[in-house]
Amino acid sequence: MKVLKFGGTSVGSVNSILSVKKIVEAIEEPVIVVVSALGGITDKLLATSVMASKGDVGYEREFSEIITRHLDVIEGVIPDKMQRIEVQKRVMSLLDELGNIFKGVYLINDLSAKTSDTIVSYGERISSLIVSNVIEDARLFDSRKFIKTIKQFNKHIVDFEQTNQLIKETFNPLPKVSLVPGFISSSTENGEVTNLGRGGSDYTASILATALDANVLEIWTDVDGFMTADPRVISSAYVIDRLTFTEAMELCNFGAKVIYPPTIYPVYHKNIPIRILNTFNPEAPGTYISKEKVKEEGKAIIKGISSINDTCLITVQGLGMVGVIGVNYRIFKTLAKSGISVFMVSQASSENNTTFAVRNADADLAVQVLDEEFALERAQGDMNDTVAEKDLATVAIVGENMKRTPGIAGKLFGTLGSAGISVIACAQGASETNISFVIKFKYLRKALNSIHDSFFLSQYKVLNLFIAGVGTVGGNLLEQIRIQQPKLMQQNGLKLNVVGVSNSKRALFLREGLNLENCIDELKKNGEESSPEHLKEEILKMNIFNSVFVDCTANSAVSDLYETLLNNNVSVVAANKVAASSSYSNYIKLKETARHRGVKFLFETNVGAGLPIINTMND
């Protein structure tokens, strides 16, 4: 027996639901199918309920769109007219109930947690009803009857003892296809509707798989599996074939939204493997997650990089903390009482400060409650006011092969240093499967690309080139890059990526919709001139990794930019014959600057058709 979970995008349209039907009906063994609400419906329900609570009559328009969305899907997925009419009646009955709740919220201008939980439950209740009438021989179950929760710290926690017993009773005997709404549950105490949190459908599937000793838990989503990094940021990211439960958990906790983190706990204890698969590409092998650690020859030491964009660092500091027992206990007890979750902790060995990461939305409350907790110590001067630093990002590199491997941290921080990125805080557990660090949010994209490149997660190395001067030398250089690029990629694993070009008057950057040929054509036209100073500002603003400034001009004003560029971790390769006439001491100074910043300054006296530049870039 296996359990399959299909997310919102997998049941978000007529075509995707028909794909779900095809996948499920092709399985010969008994299956339990857990479905989320139609893609985007949960957010729509929440937004509509907030509008109603504020007395905004526009909620009726939003609710009307919810009705239309569901009826359109029914029309497209159920071909039999009589069956379709019956499903429409049952769905409209649920939508009528929902409409009455919205009207009540609108009239009294109040939205309690209980009412909100009830409202969002209709998303899964309706989607599961529809899908159960699409898949042949599917039998619909109500997860509120067997997923039971208790309340702790204002959150609904699964009562596993009662839940496991009810699941075994409910699914005995086990039908060929059982259809279950994910996410929703009910209170053990009073039977009221509760939910398992955003992403809770994954958790529902995991609970069922564990209680019924499934062979495998399949999470069907809209991606091919866990990626080495966010493909929206790193184009060379690829699917990870295998992960351990520990690696998957670490990646999930730090922003990889492939599965809901609590999903892993139940199946881990029974060693039930998880397979991540793509509803829209069912032939892809996906990612296989289990306890087994497989040594893969030739693979990178780290498995993947994950990040949390929404980070705030809170620092509690004071000499009065040194040697005092119980300070951290008071910090984290105070945060727990206020329902604030901490996802990273860093403390100096001197004990005079403790720094931890929270979501930006929790920052102000965290500062308030901690200042209240330590009010006496602050008044006596033993401790400082609590400090919050926002607009940060947390990055984690993950991999069990990092254990007992020297030099990983050194390579990581060396890579960040060469990219000109300062680490504000860092943490590594004794398990050595995760190194986490905090940086400014504006450097996140650059950091992810630099690490991905440095740890050989990509199949090739990238140099991002800005070429100043597109005359005889620069023009020949660009032509050689075009001709030799396939060979460089194949034999050297090197990709030369031209990100911008300039002549003596203007600079143009390859943005979306503007390729290199367009840029060169634009440079030849008369237009607004830009100064070398403007050129420098634009290059630094690009904030790209492995950046190389290639100077093919004969312009002393351009060569005056070298030191600034090197100090901002941009390598410089120059064939500028005017710059060649500058003093030897200046050349040594630039070499020293480059060495100190971890970048390169390569100067060529021969400017013949760009040939030496190709060689130095390859180096």
Side-chain angles (χ1 to χ4, degrees):
M1 186 274 287
K2 60 171 66 174
V3 177
L4 286 70
K5 178 265 178 177
F6 292 93
T9 52
S10 297
V11 292
S13 67
V14 170
N15 289 336
S16 60
I17 292 175
L18 294 177
S19 295
V20 171
K21 171 183 171 68
K22 185 177 179 181
I23 291 166
V24 174
E25 291 180 355
I27 301 172
E28 296 182 358
E29 62 186 304
V31 294
I32 295 179
V33 178
V34 178
V35 296
S36 299
L38 303 189
I41 285 295
T42 300
D43 288 334
K44 191 88 164 174
L45 289 168
L46 288 169
T48 304
S49 59
V50 169
M51 289 177 69
S53 69
K54 292 179 178 178
D56 185 348
V57 74
Y59 88 88
E60 293 179 343
R61 181 186 64 256
E62 297 295 313
F63 179 51
S64 177
E65 290 177 4
I66 293 171
I67 295 173
T68 302
R69 172 87 181 278
H70 286 96
L71 293 181
D72 286 347
V73 168
I74 294 170
E75 189 73 29
V77 297
I78 302 178
D80 182 78
K81 184 177 179 180
M82 296 304 295
Q83 184 187 13
R84 184 167 64 246
I85 291 172
E86 179 59 28
V87 173
Q88 286 171 341
K89 284 181 180 178
R90 294 174 64 186
V91 167
M92 281 308 303
S93 176
L94 290 173
L95 289 168
D96 285 343
E97 291 176 17
L98 178 59
N100 288 332
I101 297 172
F102 278 137
K103 188 171 184 178
V105 170
Y106 172 75
L107 290 173
I108 63 174
N109 289 353
D110 181 67
L111 180 65
S112 66
K114 173 184 172 182
T115 304
S116 182
D117 285 348
T118 302
I119 288 172
V120 294
S121 74
Y122 280 88
E124 274 72 15
R125 289 169 65 188
I126 296 172
S127 68
S128 59
L129 173 57
I130 295 171
V131 178
S132 68
N133 281 274
V134 175
I135 298 172
E136 188 176 349
D137 298 327
R139 180 179 166 193
L140 180 62
F141 290 83
D142 186 348
S143 51
R144 293 173 298 174
K145 294 182 178 178
F146 49 81
I147 306 287
K148 295 293 181 179
T149 63
I150 54 178
K151 199 166 188 179
Q152 290 182 4
F153 299 116
N154 294 320
K155 293 184 178 179
H156 303 296
I157 308 299
V158 175
D159 180 347
F160 277 100
E161 184 176 352
Q162 186 177 5
T163 295
N164 289 340
Q165 180 184 341
L166 289 171
I167 288 173
K168 289 173 182 176
E169 292 172 359
T170 302
F171 295 93
N172 186 21
L174 188 65
K176 176 70 169 63
V177 179
S178 306
L179 210 297
V180 176
F183 175 70
I184 59 177
S185 50
S186 64
S187 169
T188 297
E189 300 166 3
N190 51 31
E192 291 177 350
V193 176
T194 58
N195 65 63
L196 303 179
R198 297 304 292 264
S201 293
D202 291 354
Y203 198 22
T204 302
S206 179
I207 293 166
L208 287 163
T210 305
L212 297 172
D213 295 316
N215 300 324
V216 65
L217 168 60
E218 294 182 355
I219 305 292
W220 290 81
T221 180
D222 57 358
V223 295
D224 286 343
F226 273 91
M227 307 286 285
T228 52
D230 187 342
R232 294 169 298 182
V233 176
I234 301 174
S235 59
S236 57
Y238 56 87
V239 175
I240 306 170
D241 298 330
R242 296 182 70 100
L243 289 170
T244 64
F245 285 121
T246 302
E247 289 170 335
M249 176 59 73
E250 295 284 9
L251 288 170
C252 286
N253 280 329
F254 279 86
K257 298 180 174 64
V258 180
I259 57 176
Y260 182 50
T263 303
I264 297 172
Y265 294 122
V267 293
Y268 166 78
H269 293 294
K270 286 199 173 182
N271 197 21
I272 298 170
I274 302 173
R275 189 177 288 280
I276 310 298
L277 296 162
N278 191 343
T279 308
F280 308 98
N281 184 20
E283 304 304 318
T287 300
Y288 186 81
I289 306 168
S290 67
K291 279 188 178 179
E292 288 71 36
K293 180 183 173 184
V294 180
K295 183 70 175 178
E296 298 174 280
E297 296 299 328
K299 290 288 186 178
I301 293 173
I302 68 172
K303 281 290 184 71
I305 314 166
S306 200
S307 62
I308 299 175
N309 303 353
D310 177 18
T311 298
C312 174
L313 276 185
I314 307 289
T315 300
V316 179
Q317 186 174 19
L319 294 177
M321 295 171 61
V322 179
V324 177
I325 296 173
V327 173
N328 282 342
Y329 167 74
R330 290 173 62 189
I331 291 172
F332 296 111
K333 179 190 74 174
T334 300
L335 295 170
K337 284 170 62 178
S338 301
I340 298 171
S341 176
V342 173
F343 54 81
M344 196 190 94
V345 180
S346 178
Q347 182 179 27
S349 58
S350 63
E351 300 182 43
N352 77 337
N353 71 74
T354 296
T355 298
F356 52 89
V358 300
R359 303 284 182 181
N360 283 308
D362 293 328
D364 293 340
L365 178 59
V367 170
Q368 178 188 330
V369 297
L370 289 171
D371 278 347
E372 290 172 358
E373 173 66 24
F374 294 101
L376 179 60
E377 288 84 354
R378 289 168 50 240
Q380 294 173 343
D382 293 333
M383 292 178 66
N384 303 333
D385 291 346
T386 306
V387 176
E389 186 175 359
K390 299 181 181 179
D391 297 323
L392 306 176
T394 306
V395 180
I397 62 170
V398 173
E400 294 223 47
N401 289 335
M402 289 162 52
K403 289 181 180 178
R404 309 292 183 264
T405 303
I408 300 297
K411 184 173 182 178
L412 170 65
F413 296 121
T415 298
L416 294 170
S418 295
I421 300 170
S422 297
V423 173
I424 302 169
C426 64
Q428 179 180 17
S431 67
E432 298 186 65
T433 57
N434 176 322
I435 301 177
S436 309
F437 58 92
V438 178
I439 58 176
K440 289 187 179 295
F441 174 72
K442 67 179 181 179
Y443 294 127
L444 177 59
R445 178 179 290 270
K446 188 177 183 180
L448 294 177
N449 276 284
S450 299
I451 297 167
H452 201 268
D453 185 76
S454 175
F455 280 89
F456 302 100
L457 288 177
S458 302
Q459 296 175 351
Y460 50 82
K461 303 283 284 183
V462 175
L463 285 182
N464 290 299
L465 314 180
F466 182 93
I467 299 176
V470 288
T472 303
V473 176
N476 275 278
L477 171 60
L478 288 168
E479 179 63 14
Q480 287 186 32
I481 290 174
R482 185 186 69 80
I483 294 171
Q484 295 192 37
Q485 184 67 87
K487 179 182 176 181
L488 289 170
M489 285 276 286
Q490 185 177 2
Q491 296 183 5
N492 302 77
L494 176 67
K495 181 180 181 182
L496 301 182
N497 183 35
V498 180
V499 296
V501 291
S502 74
N503 57 16
S504 59
K505 297 181 178 180
R506 300 177 67 199
L508 288 173
F509 298 84
L510 276 67
R511 311 290 193 193
E512 187 176 344
L514 193 64
N515 60 31
L516 182 59
E517 190 176 341
N518 297 142
C519 277
I520 294 174
D521 288 342
E522 285 293 318
L523 287 178
K524 294 175 181 177
K525 298 176 182 177
N526 293 323
E528 182 183 349
E529 296 187 7
S530 56
S531 65
E533 188 65 25
H534 175 70
L535 171 62
K536 177 194 71 178
E537 290 173 2
E538 286 294 315
I539 292 172
L540 298 182
K541 194 188 300 180
M542 291 181 76
N543 193 27
I544 53 176
F545 78 109
N546 285 1
S547 49
V548 183
F549 178 77
V550 184
D551 182 9
C552 297
T553 71
N555 190 324
S556 60
V558 174
S559 64
D560 289 342
L561 304 177
Y562 295 172
E563 186 173 3
T564 302
L565 293 172
L566 292 169
N567 274 317
N568 283 274
N569 301 85
V570 177
S571 292
V572 174
V573 176
N576 187 330
K577 57 189 177 187
V578 174
S581 63
S582 64
S583 66
Y584 179 71
S585 61
N586 186 54
Y587 169 78
I588 295 299
K589 178 184 177 184
L590 292 172
K591 279 293 238 186
E592 223 14 63
T593 301
R595 186 186 65 80
H596 177 69
R597 302 301 299 189
V599 293
K600 288 186 180 292
F601 173 62
L602 302 172
F603 186 78
E604 294 290 349
T605 55
N606 184 338
V607 296
L611 287 167
I613 298 174
I614 285 286
N615 182 59
T616 51
M617 284 194 301
N618 190 49
D619 290 342

